[in-house]
Amino acid sequence: MSPSIATNQTILVVGGGISGMTAALEAAECGKQVILVERNATLGGRTALMNRYFPKMCHPTCGLEINLRRLKGNRNVRVMTMAEVSSVTGQRGDYTVTLKLAPRYVNANCTACGDCAAAVDAEISNPYEYGLSKTRVAYLPHAMAYPMHYVLDPSIIGTADAGKAKAACKYDAIDLDMQTETVELKVGAIVWATGWKPYDAAKIQPYGYDRFANVITSLEFERLADPHGPTGGKLLRPSDGKEAKNIAFIQCAGSRDENHLRHCSRICCMATLKQTHYVREAYGESGKSTVYYIDIRVIDRLEDFYQKVQQDATVSFVKSKVAKIVEGKDGNPVLHGVDTEGYHRYATAHDLVVLAVGMEPETNGIKLPEDMLLDSSGFIESSQDEGMFGAGAATSPLDVNRSVQSATAAALRAIQVVHKTAAAEGAK
Amino acid sequence: MADEIQMKTAAYICSGCGLGDKLDIAQLGKIAQKEGKMALVREHAFLCNSAGVQMIRDDIEKEGVTHVCIAACSRRAKTEAFHFPTVAMTRANLREGVIWVVAEGSDHDEVRQEMADDYVRMGCAELKKMKLPQGNPNTTRLKSILVVGGGMSGLTAAFEAAESGYEVVIVEKQARLGGWANKLWKRVPFKAPYADPQDTGVAGLAARVSSHPRIRVHLNSTVAETSGAPGRFTVKVAQESGAVTEEAVGAIVQATGFTTYDIAKLPELGGGQANVVDQAGLEALAQTANGGVLKRADGKEVKSVVFLQCAGQRDESGKHLAYCSGHCCATSIKQAMYFKDANPDTDTVVMYTDLRVPGMGEDFYRSAQRKGVIFTKGKASGVEAVGSSCKVNFKDLILDEDTSLDADLVVLATGQVPSAGVDLDAWNKVVSEAEGGSEAAKQNKSELQKTSILNLTYRQGPDMPQFKYGFADSHFICFPYETRRTGIYAAGPVRRPMDMLQATEDATGAALKAIQAVENASLGRAAHPRSGDLSFPIVRLEGCTQCKRCTVECPFGAIDEDERRFPVFNEQRCRRCGTCMGACPVRVISFENYSVDTVGNQLKAVEIPDEFSEKPRVLILACENDAYPALDMAGLSRTVYSAFVRIIPVRCLGSVNTIWITDALNSGYDGVMMMGCKKGDDYQCHFVKGSELASYRMSKIGDTLTGMGLEPERVSSYEVAITDNERVAKFINDYVAQLVEMGPSPMKGFG
Amino acid sequence: MSDSNKQAIAHYRNNFLKEVEDHVEDGEWVRMCMQCGVCAGSCPFGPHWEHSPQKIFMMIRAGKREEVLSSDSMWMCTSCYNCIVRCPRKLPITHIMHGLAHYAHRLGIAPKGQPTREIARLFWVNLARTGRVNELKFSLAMYFKDGFVQGIKNALAMQGIGIGLMKARRLNPMELLGGHKCKDKDGIHKMIAKAREIEERKQKFV
């Protein structure tokens, strides 16, 4: 069945989002042995928390479903969730990787029947909803989770809920004695598909993300628009739960800004244009989207998507980096700034402000192997020994399509390493 | 072979996850035994645990079980546990499909049990018509890769494939390798600090390719003919001299690049004037200058230059390119640096409406500003020749005024036009006119043929189908390499407008896909999205009426026609969607584990209550890619829907044969729901055309229904997305309510 | 037109950006602006001036010398530093604005009678005399800058504040008679003269 012992012919893929899954599957479908490790309790990464993809307005879970089916049907990939790389030693063709496996407290007996969740009382902020809702301490990350196993939040240990969850499980799937484990692997090549994280919007002081309830991030807005999300797909603003109909989108929230992120995050313009569709779909002619921008960076074929949005009378564009937000009456954020095209000063109230937050490498703040070469924003360029590769948004702020391209390329680079290792060993 | 072995069936009924509490498991066992005629029937309280799985494994090994029906949870669940690769298997979905979606309470016990009974009947019925797929017996072993185009993308694809251990053949129409990159003075930087133009590196790459032991290069050559399939392509390479050599390859990467948009089409921006060049023209001047000050064609040193971005691009009038070519802002920045690096006093203005330098391009932009390049947000209205210089008239969008600038040279940033070969929509129109006898069409056809790149001998035309704006791309966001010609992958700007960094990345990915294609072909299995699938279409030619529907409708051009117009299946090109099976009016096409009979048997196994029972029956044919998961997730979220429906997953709605619908209605079903992916411009069908074809076929079914004396509403179609768990339940409940109102099908009792 | 202005025009011809880069404090940063407008929106005096910093920078790049140097905008800057803090390109906008004001003043083409410019001028004259600011004389100079009648009106309007300041010993009527000064007045004057000499040298355009 699955490879029990990794060898220097094995490719390790770190990160189980769309890029990591792609890199793992593409290599495995070329006949290579792959280990895919993911820090969270489920594969799917950030895209699983998106409502739609631009430009087709299709559903990220659709592609996830296909990738999961590929995975279920391919015995060359071994998946390890709740696993983090703690160290890498050795060199190209011969790495030793130490993994730290966090306890899930639920074993493979789990049938996802949900009895444990029904039995417990305590709640935690839902990590798969950016904290916009609560979930029980025994929970399934989301409907597309893989593995389709529940997970117990570590806070349950030692509480009455732990016992209740265990008692509710008919399948002996709950193991409260699980401990953090350390595993060592030998691998030939490593693909770092560690993805991205949203820039901390609270650091953009004039926008008051930490002070004003109705200033949210673009990722939180994805959750609001998602029919599976905390509001059932309704665009309800946090302060009072009222429908937000007049929505401002602020571009370059953190990006293209030497006080925050030096780089342009590439995807945010398209993401905002996509989100104006959500407003349009929710309210028709009675909704209103205003996009505050410096340059609309809709690269290549996606231009027609921009053109269509420009023709929508409910969407307007203001060429301006918003200077500051103050809270007006009824909790309405009021945006202050100047439209630089011809110079027009504004102080405009909106129901809700969506900050198109920039992308930074998920690995910022995490120690990577010293051999890795990073750019000035921390994105992975390559490794000195050419045995480790970045893939997807770990290498640059990329959209899904380009991430998949990048991950496919990274898979081939990893294949080359194990191919050459095998050839060298064959020659011995 | 499996069919030489005695078929032995077994059904396993799980009582875990509440199945035992809500259903009469013993009754299900009885049904499996008596009606399903299963040789072995076993119940288990927790079938997916190691003991349950071991029980099944023992039966396979010791009892000789060859066919397994698992009546438990959805086919999407517990796939690791229920993995028995040596037997044919069906899954009766009692959990997500019955107990999780039927309303709670004893009032519903009867309908809940009936639903479960039927799913067990269906599982057993399907099983008996299934065979374990053995894989395409015509496996092919050719693993070499053809790369068409020797530019940056082609060279990269070739080199990366060769470095991975595969033999590569390059066909390049020019006399030397390198393509556009040869014409560049420098390229945009790929790495930090993103400050200065860099050497293109093309000469080094071309040299490494030329001397690579696993790469052979044909220069001054084009592809005269491509026939075959992944793992067994035969490619005729025509040299300029007229000589033709034959290459046998396993997969193809098409990296045929682009041409620049013709500036002669932009007279209003000075296209055609002596001192107006495009970016390619500027590269030529820079190569001549060789690092010194840039001079115009007339020899005058350029002291002022204006770059006009988006020239003939992002055009909404329909006259020029509608898209943005993505690379041109960074290219102009790079070219502006040529001037500033040679002479910092050169007045260098880049005029843009949106400056598009994503990612680390922002650093490159800053670097240009530091070098003194002026960026002006403005829209040029015209370029006039004034004396020996140019006057650029424009609206300054920041200062909100119409004004002008004088410059020695104007550079138009025009876009990339893909070199993708023949547009198949145009081709097919010409072909059908030519077949109708039109002489003009025949002439057109041979003219079109001359523009072909691959010259495929495929029934459906000589090149890859094109997507928007003539790019040879896929439509998929998650699967960018999926073209509609299996084993042929596009790479570089032929696929979408892109810069050199992206093109090399893209070419590396395309090389992997080509490698994957030859590996899959050698194992006789399918490529994406049914990767690893060993089933393949089997045709019973003696029943074929040569109607050509399968050859025309196959979304992947997998089926050719022989001289007697019989279909010729190229299994290695096939993606196993079953569209041909759905198209075939005489039902001679099938897969070993998926056929007209496997589905037909299931729908006939359902027990249809009589017209007085007030229990309608609705057949749902649900696409397994999106609709079936949505139905599953309705279960997971315990969304209640009517217990009167019976769901059969299908590979794609395109594989739905209308006989299933007429069979269902004839046997007394009150209605049929078809659930598939979105069609149209933003289609989400994983097989591109499947849902569209199904919709077309269903639009024709009205007459059949009228002929049967049935209302057209008895068949309905739905576009269902994977997130539609709530909607899909509503569709079902509304439709069942509508049928109840219509009254029972008049066909009941005649089936 | 002042000589220095004529010289500058002759020397730089149409390249006002170059002129700014050479002669304005932090002027070399003007090229780095990307026209986002955050400075324009951040300035507390925004509604009162004619051109925003970002627009001034664009005008410099477009060669609008006259308009820029005679603009009142840079005279309005209160050095709150909002623009510097928020500028995504880290332009020292406050400094550039002051630099432009100073340059326009030196060339003698700054807007006449512009109140903030006038207050700066009076402040300087007052300060340079003794090396210390004489608050009373400075206030009176401000009141009477537009003539005697207006000066009386201004003084009457402000008398409440004046009395308050006197009670708080922040304003001494005796200051009118010479007032306090720094220890080495001559030294201060020499220093100022030297600084002026250096500045004069900078103004040469050859």
Side-chain angles (χ1 to χ4, degrees):
Chain A
M1 295 240 313
S2 43
S4 53
I5 305 161
T7 69
N8 60 5
Q9 298 296 298
T10 306
I11 295 166
L12 173 69
V13 178
V14 186
I18 183 101
S19 300
M21 289 178 81
T22 299
L25 285 165
E26 296 300 349
E29 287 178 10
C30 288
K32 302 298 171 196
Q33 296 297 316
V34 181
I35 294 176
L36 174 61
V37 299
E38 164 57 47
R39 185 172 62 176
N40 287 317
T42 174
L43 299 184
R46 292 210 183 269
T47 53
L49 309 184
M50 300 276 174
N51 178 35
R52 312 269 194 99
Y53 280 154
F54 58 75
K56 284 173 66 177
M57 304 305 289
C58 55
H59 304 272
T61 40
C62 165
L64 181 58
E65 170 74 13
I66 298 288
N67 280 334
L68 288 178
R69 215 167 61 201
R70 291 166 79 187
L71 198 64
K72 290 170 188 173
N74 196 315
R75 301 280 138 175
N76 291 344
V77 189
R78 177 170 148 205
V79 176
M80 300 169 84
T81 50
M82 306 193 77
E84 223 172 331
V85 174
S86 54
S87 81
V88 177
T89 56
Q91 64 282 312
R92 174 190 164 97
D94 183 23
Y95 292 110
T96 303
V97 178
T98 311
L99 297 177
K100 201 177 87 186
L101 307 179
R104 180 190 274 270
Y105 305 111
V106 176
N107 64 31
N109 277 352
C110 177
T111 67
C113 72
D115 288 349
C116 56
V120 301
D121 298 314
E123 288 188 323
I124 51 162
S125 164
N126 190 341
Y128 296 90
E129 295 287 4
Y130 295 104
L132 292 170
S133 68
K134 301 239 176 237
T135 186
R136 301 270 178 94
V137 280
Y139 65 100
L140 189 64
H142 48 69
M144 290 292 295
Y146 182 88
M148 184 48 91
H149 294 156
Y150 274 67
V151 55
L152 301 191
D153 187 76
S155 66
I156 199 174
I157 298 303
T159 68
D161 275 339
K164 285 187 211 166
K166 189 166 171 61
C169 182
K170 298 185 192 79
Y171 308 105
D172 203 18
I174 292 183
D175 176 359
L176 298 169
D177 298 325
M178 274 189 192
Q179 299 294 327
T180 301
E181 281 178 59
T182 304
V183 176
E184 223 172 61
L185 298 172
K186 278 250 179 274
V187 298
I190 304 176
V191 174
W192 294 87
T194 37
W196 62 284
K197 59 183 171 189
Y199 184 71
D200 179 5
K203 289 184 187 164
I204 313 166
Q205 192 274 343
Y207 293 168
Y209 173 75
D210 53 345
R211 305 189 297 282
F212 310 138
N214 295 327
V215 176
I216 64 171
T217 69
S218 44
L219 292 158
E220 289 164 347
F221 194 63
E222 284 294 309
R223 298 314 306 144
L224 294 188
D226 192 333
H228 290 210
T231 55
K234 290 204 167 70
L235 306 179
L236 308 180
R237 66 182 198 169
S239 70
D240 49 15
K242 282 190 191 147
E243 282 192 330
K245 289 195 165 181
N246 176 2
I247 301 180
F249 295 90
I250 299 185
Q251 299 311 109
C252 302
S255 304
R256 299 184 68 183
D257 191 333
E258 290 175 38
N259 302 304
H260 303 287
L261 303 171
R262 293 181 60 79
H263 58 269
C264 157
S265 296
R266 190 187 263 112
I267 59 129
C268 337
C269 282
M270 269 309 284
T272 289
L273 296 177
K274 171 188 75 174
Q275 292 182 338
T276 67
H277 272 261
Y278 300 165
V279 183
R280 174 88 208 183
E281 279 172 24
Y283 306 117
E285 295 294 325
S286 65
K288 188 165 155 41
S289 300
T290 309
V291 181
Y292 296 87
Y293 72 100
I294 305 172
D295 293 286
I296 294 289
R297 292 185 166 172
V298 170
I299 309 294
D300 74 56
R301 267 182 7 208
L302 306 174
E303 179 69 21
D304 54 4
F305 193 89
Y306 177 33
Q307 285 168 2
K308 256 180 241 156
V309 175
Q310 281 177 301
Q311 282 156 16
D312 182 344
T314 69
V315 184
S316 46
F317 292 84
V318 180
K319 179 173 160 43
S320 170
K321 183 170 176 70
V322 174
K324 67 170 175 186
I325 299 174
V326 296
E327 199 164 49
K329 66 171 170 44
D330 304 329
N332 290 341
V334 181
L335 274 55
H336 290 264
V338 164
D339 177 354
T340 62
E341 277 195 6
Y343 184 55
H344 306 282
R345 184 161 291 279
Y346 59 81
T348 313
H350 296 273
D351 298 338
L352 182 72
V353 173
V354 178
L355 303 178
V357 283
M359 299 166 85
E360 68 173 322
E362 182 71 59
T363 46
N364 272 3
I366 292 175
K367 199 171 168 292
L368 287 171
E370 276 174 20
D371 207 35
M372 303 297 288
L373 301 171
L374 309 178
D375 71 17
S376 61
S377 289
F379 291 105
I380 296 170
E381 283 184 341
S382 58
S383 75
Q384 268 159 10
D385 68 356
E386 296 181 314
M388 297 191 278
F389 311 95
T395 65
S396 175
L398 297 177
D399 59 21
V400 170
N401 193 275
R402 287 186 171 89
S403 291
V404 172
Q405 258 176 278
S406 160
T408 309
L412 186 66
R413 294 185 183 118
I415 286 173
Q416 287 171 358
V417 173
V418 297
H419 165 73
K420 285 176 184 171
T421 309
E425 292 191 350
K428 267 181 208 164
Chain B
M1 299 293 278
D3 39 1
E4 289 162 14
I5 301 165
Q6 188 74 41
M7 180 201 254
K8 183 164 182 182
T9 56
Y12 299 89
I13 299 159
C14 181
S15 58
C17 289
L19 291 169
D21 305 333
K22 296 225 163 112
L23 299 172
D24 180 345
I25 299 291
Q27 182 174 320
L28 297 177
K30 236 173 274 166
I31 286 171
Q33 200 163 33
K34 295 207 170 129
E35 299 179 42
K37 304 232 171 6
M38 294 289 107
L40 250 177
V41 176
R42 296 191 199 273
E43 293 168 19
H44 199 277
F46 184 16
L47 192 59
C48 62
N49 80 350
S50 50
V53 170
Q54 194 56 48
M55 173 179 81
I56 301 172
R57 209 173 279 147
D58 287 347
D59 284 349
I60 293 168
E61 280 164 21
K62 294 171 192 152
E63 302 288 328
V65 167
T66 59
H67 285 62
V68 170
C69 172
I70 289 174
C73 45
S74 161
R75 64 204 322 235
R76 293 172 64 251
K78 288 289 173 188
T79 50
E80 292 79 4
F82 300 135
H83 174 70
F84 308 112
T86 58
V87 299
M89 183 168 70
T90 62
R91 302 274 298 262
N93 185 359
L94 304 182
R95 189 176 74 158
E96 289 85 341
V98 182
I99 63 163
W100 281 0
V101 289
V102 176
E104 297 281 330
S106 53
D107 288 359
H108 302 279
D109 283 352
E110 189 180 310
V111 291
R112 188 187 301 115
Q113 184 67 33
E114 284 172 0
M115 201 179 194
D117 291 350
D118 276 345
Y119 279 131
V120 171
R121 289 184 185 106
M122 290 159 78
C124 298
E126 181 188 15
L127 192 61
K128 282 183 286 187
K129 292 289 178 186
M130 276 174 82
K131 282 182 196 152
L132 180 69
Q134 297 298 304
N136 175 18
N138 307 316
T139 54
T140 45
R141 296 261 162 221
L142 281 178
K143 291 194 177 179
S144 55
I145 290 159
L146 172 74
V147 176
V148 186
M152 210 62 194
S153 310
L155 290 174
T156 305
F159 184 73
E160 298 295 341
E163 285 288 290
S164 309
Y166 293 80
E167 300 287 327
V168 179
V169 179
I170 298 180
V171 173
E172 164 57 48
K173 71 176 174 199
Q174 306 282 342
R176 70 168 173 141
L177 294 173
W180 274 107
N182 284 335
K183 301 183 182 176
L184 304 186
W185 167 239
K186 294 275 168 82
R187 66 159 168 76
V188 167
F190 292 178
K191 286 192 163 155
Y194 301 94
D196 298 292
Q198 304 291 316
D199 264 358
T200 62
V202 70
L205 181 57
R208 285 198 296 282
V209 162
S210 300
S211 62
H212 202 288
R214 279 190 287 274
I215 302 177
R216 284 183 298 116
V217 180
H218 294 279
L219 294 174
N220 296 313
S221 301
T222 53
V223 173
E225 188 187 290
T226 305
S227 58
R232 56 173 182 86
F233 284 112
T234 303
V235 179
K236 289 183 182 157
V237 179
Q239 261 131 347
E240 215 172 28
S241 62
V244 174
T245 38
E246 227 173 63
E247 293 282 2
V249 297
I252 300 171
V253 173
Q254 181 179 341
T256 43
F258 66 99
T259 54
T260 53
Y261 190 70
D262 185 2
I263 56 169
K265 291 180 185 163
L266 300 165
E268 65 278 12
L269 295 179
Q273 290 176 25
N275 299 319
V276 177
V277 296
D278 61 8
Q279 290 181 325
L282 197 274
E283 292 294 339
L285 297 181
Q287 284 199 339
T288 308
N290 197 25
V293 291
L294 282 87
K295 291 178 183 157
R296 301 195 306 207
D298 63 5
K300 184 188 179 300
E301 182 187 337
V302 178
K303 295 224 164 116
S304 54
V305 57
V306 175
F307 292 86
L308 298 181
Q309 297 310 108
C310 309
Q313 306 192 61
R314 299 179 63 190
D315 177 66
E316 292 180 61
S317 71
K319 256 170 71 186
H320 304 300
L321 303 179
Y323 53 89
C324 152
S325 291
H327 76 92
C328 344
C329 282
T331 300
S332 287
I333 288 173
K334 173 196 74 174
Q335 296 185 337
M337 288 182 177
Y338 294 169
F339 289 97
K340 285 292 187 184
D341 289 347
N343 174 10
D345 287 335
T346 316
D347 284 334
T348 312
V349 174
V350 175
M351 193 173 292
Y352 68 97
T353 50
D354 294 285
L355 200 77
R356 294 179 168 177
V357 280
M360 294 298 162
E362 195 67 19
D363 271 349
F364 196 44
Y365 173 23
R366 277 187 278 253
S367 175
Q369 286 181 301
R370 214 166 288 122
K371 287 173 193 258
V373 178
I374 300 298
F375 291 84
T376 296
K377 184 172 164 95
K379 213 168 170 51
S381 53
V383 176
E384 299 167 45
V386 179
S388 83
S389 76
C390 305
K391 185 177 174 201
V392 180
N393 298 311
F394 70 102
K395 177 171 186 184
D396 187 316
L397 292 166
I398 298 294
L399 302 180
D400 197 21
E401 61 183 16
D402 291 309
T403 178
S404 68
L405 264 174
D406 295 329
D408 293 337
L409 186 72
V410 170
V411 183
L412 302 183
T414 58
Q416 293 177 326
V417 180
S419 309
V422 175
D423 172 8
L424 295 191
D425 290 339
W427 172 264
N428 285 323
K429 195 160 160 276
V430 168
V431 167
S432 67
E433 283 167 13
E435 280 172 358
S438 156
E439 282 307 315
K442 282 179 192 166
Q443 180 63 29
N444 268 343
K445 185 183 164 188
S446 74
E447 288 301 312
L448 270 178
Q449 182 85 56
K450 281 181 203 158
T451 65
S452 173
I453 284 171
L454 296 175
N455 284 298
L456 293 163
T457 58
Y458 290 16
R459 160 76 174 79
Q460 292 187 9
D463 280 304
M464 263 198 265
Q466 293 172 6
F467 186 52
K468 234 183 243 178
Y469 311 129
F471 289 96
D473 195 7
S474 90
H475 183 52
F476 296 107
I477 294 165
C478 312
F479 308 108
Y481 290 104
E482 289 323 311
T483 66
R484 286 164 56 193
R485 293 294 176 264
T486 311
I488 307 178
Y489 299 95
V494 69
R495 211 161 81 67
R496 64 192 296 177
M498 60 177 83
D499 60 22
M500 207 188 278
L501 173 60
Q502 260 192 75
T504 52
E505 194 78 358
D506 191 38
T508 309
L512 179 136
K513 296 303 289 189
I515 288 169
Q516 212 175 61
V518 297
E519 293 298 339
N520 276 322
S522 77
L523 295 170
R525 60 188 195 190
H528 188 90
R530 297 188 58 84
S531 43
D533 186 355
L534 286 167
S535 73
F536 58 93
I538 297 166
V539 58
R540 205 161 42 76
L541 276 185
E542 51 281 21
C544 173
T545 60
Q546 298 126 296
C547 75
K548 302 203 291 184
R549 276 196 215 162
C550 58
T551 59
V552 171
E553 292 188 1
C554 174
F556 303 100
I559 315 169
D560 292 329
E561 282 154 26
D562 68 12
E563 55 290 346
R564 294 169 304 153
R565 303 195 149 199
F566 279 114
V568 179
F569 281 73
N570 294 279
E571 293 86 359
Q572 297 94 335
R573 288 191 218 158
C574 169
R575 307 282 260 275
R576 282 71 165 172
C577 60
T579 298
C580 51
M581 182 173 111
C584 183
V586 289
R587 301 177 296 281
V588 296
I589 303 171
S590 63
F591 297 80
E592 287 158 311
N593 56 358
Y594 183 59
S595 64
V596 169
D597 282 348
T598 60
V599 175
N601 240 28
Q602 284 184 72
L603 67 92
K604 286 178 207 156
V606 170
E607 202 163 78
I608 306 286
D610 65 29
E611 61 267 50
F612 310 108
S613 66
E614 295 185 353
K615 284 176 183 166
R617 283 293 175 262
V618 178
L619 175 67
I620 299 181
L621 296 168
C623 168
E624 67 178 11
N625 299 301
D626 280 15
Y628 199 74
L631 287 159
D632 249 15
M633 283 188 271
L636 194 64
S637 59
R638 311 297 196 273
T639 308
V640 172
Y641 61 74
S642 169
F644 297 145
V645 299
R646 302 293 179 262
I647 300 166
I648 300 178
V650 295
R651 286 188 182 182
C652 171
L653 276 198
S655 71
V656 171
N657 194 296
T658 43
I659 191 75
W660 296 339
I661 300 189
T662 47
D663 273 359
L665 294 171
N666 272 322
S667 52
Y669 283 87
D670 298 276
V672 177
M673 298 176 87
M674 308 254 293
M675 296 183 177
C677 303
K678 191 175 170 188
K679 57 185 179 298
D681 280 348
D682 282 329
Y683 63 82
Q684 291 169 22
C685 175
H686 294 267
F687 299 104
V688 185
K689 292 278 171 200
S691 52
E692 193 175 305
L693 287 166
S695 157
Y696 175 75
R697 291 176 200 152
M698 289 310 120
S699 71
K700 306 266 171 192
I701 208 165
D703 291 347
T704 315
L705 296 182
T706 316
M708 294 165 77
L710 289 173
E711 304 87 333
E713 293 81 10
R714 298 270 175 203
V715 178
S716 59
S717 296
Y718 301 84
E719 283 185 355
V720 173
I722 192 161
T723 51
D724 281 344
N725 53 347
E726 301 263 342
R727 257 178 95 225
V728 82
K730 189 173 181 319
F731 286 154
I732 290 174
N733 294 337
D734 289 353
Y735 188 59
V736 169
Q738 186 190 347
L739 288 176
V740 167
E741 201 155 298
M742 280 169 69
S745 161
M747 304 299 289
K748 258 189 221 297
F750 294 99
Chain C
M1 195 184 280
S2 74
D3 286 351
S4 52
N5 193 25
K6 275 184 206 153
Q7 277 174 23
I9 292 169
H11 184 74
Y12 288 100
R13 298 181 187 276
N14 293 320
N15 203 337
F16 182 43
L17 174 63
K18 184 91 173 64
E19 182 180 346
V20 167
E21 289 176 348
D22 286 353
H23 295 282
V24 171
E25 181 186 359
D26 283 332
E28 69 278 12
W29 280 93
V30 169
R31 53 168 82 168
M32 296 308 291
C33 170
M34 63 165 171
Q35 294 296 319
C36 74
V38 81
C39 51
S42 298
C43 180
F45 269 75
H48 306 290
W49 34 240
E50 203 181 344
H51 308 110
S52 67
Q54 138 269 332
K55 196 166 178 186
I56 290 270
F57 301 156
M58 199 62 225
M59 287 159 70
I60 293 171
R61 299 188 328 201
K64 294 180 180 294
R65 189 174 187 277
E66 272 303 305
E67 274 182 69
V68 169
L69 293 176
S70 61
S71 171
D72 71 347
S73 297
M74 47 271 198
W75 295 100
M76 301 283 221
C77 177
T78 61
S79 305
C80 77
Y81 289 87
N82 261 351
C83 51
I84 290 196
V85 167
R86 291 182 191 160
C87 176
R89 287 294 185 79
K90 292 197 164 168
L91 267 72
I93 299 165
T94 309
H95 305 172
I96 304 169
M97 294 304 274
H98 287 311
L100 281 169
H102 189 58
Y103 186 57
H105 173 77
R106 265 172 27 205
L107 295 181
I109 51 175
K112 300 277 181 296
Q114 204 283 332
T116 49
R117 182 187 175 213
E118 196 56 20
I119 203 170
R121 195 183 63 77
L122 291 170
F123 184 88
W124 175 251
V125 169
N126 183 298
L127 174 72
R129 193 167 295 143
T130 63
R132 299 289 290 265
V133 176
N134 184 317
E135 283 89 355
L136 191 69
K137 285 185 183 168
F138 179 47
S139 311
L140 290 174
M142 276 305 291
Y143 294 167
F144 290 92
K145 75 177 168 63
D146 297 325
F148 183 75
V149 177
Q150 185 61 40
I152 296 295
K153 278 185 191 165
N154 288 341
L156 287 172
M158 298 298 286
Q159 68 175 332
I161 293 175
I163 290 165
L165 284 170
M166 269 190 270
K167 281 182 181 163
R169 300 179 144 215
R170 307 292 299 169
L171 201 66
N172 181 357
M174 299 313 285
E175 286 281 297
L176 207 51
L177 316 165
H180 66 293
K181 50 187 75 104
C182 68
K183 281 178 193 152
D184 183 9
K185 201 170 80 175
D186 287 350
I188 291 281
H189 287 160
K190 274 184 200 154
M191 244 164 66
I192 291 170
K194 184 71 185 169
R196 202 184 292 277
E197 188 193 316
I198 295 169
E199 281 296 308
E200 294 291 332
R201 211 184 305 139
K202 269 203 218 160
Q203 279 180 44
K204 300 283 183 272
F205 295 101
V206 281

